[in-house]
Amino acid sequence: MQHLGQFPFVPFDPRPDIEPGQTAEILGRRWTAGSKFPLRVTTQSIQREASIVIFGADGGASTS
């Protein structure tokens, strides 16, 4: 399963996806995938995009 075009980061963690309905422990925390889709837990990634905007996306955003 590849979703690299949808996210501004590239995961390079060698961990496999957690299959639907399965549970795995990663770095001391238990993760359970939903019943329909696998779950990808990424602990390392490379940021490949950033955006600077003039106005915040919501009323609670500020520049200070």
Side-chain angles (χ1 to χ4, degrees):
M1 180 193 295
Q2 292 289 320
H3 295 290
L4 299 182
Q6 298 176 7
F7 300 106
F9 62 88
V10 179
F12 63 89
D13 193 329
R15 299 177 200 283
D17 290 348
I18 302 169
E19 294 302 317
Q22 299 296 311
T23 298
E25 185 171 325
I26 299 172
L27 298 177
R29 184 171 174 186
R30 293 179 60 82
W31 298 86
T32 302
S35 61
K36 294 183 180 182
F37 301 103
L39 174 65
R40 176 171 293 164
V41 178
T42 302
T43 60
Q44 298 176 343
S45 64
I46 298 172
Q47 183 178 350
R48 64 176 190 177
E49 179 183 329
S51 298
I52 299 174
V53 296
I54 296 172
F55 301 106
D58 61 62
S62 70
T63 58
S64 57

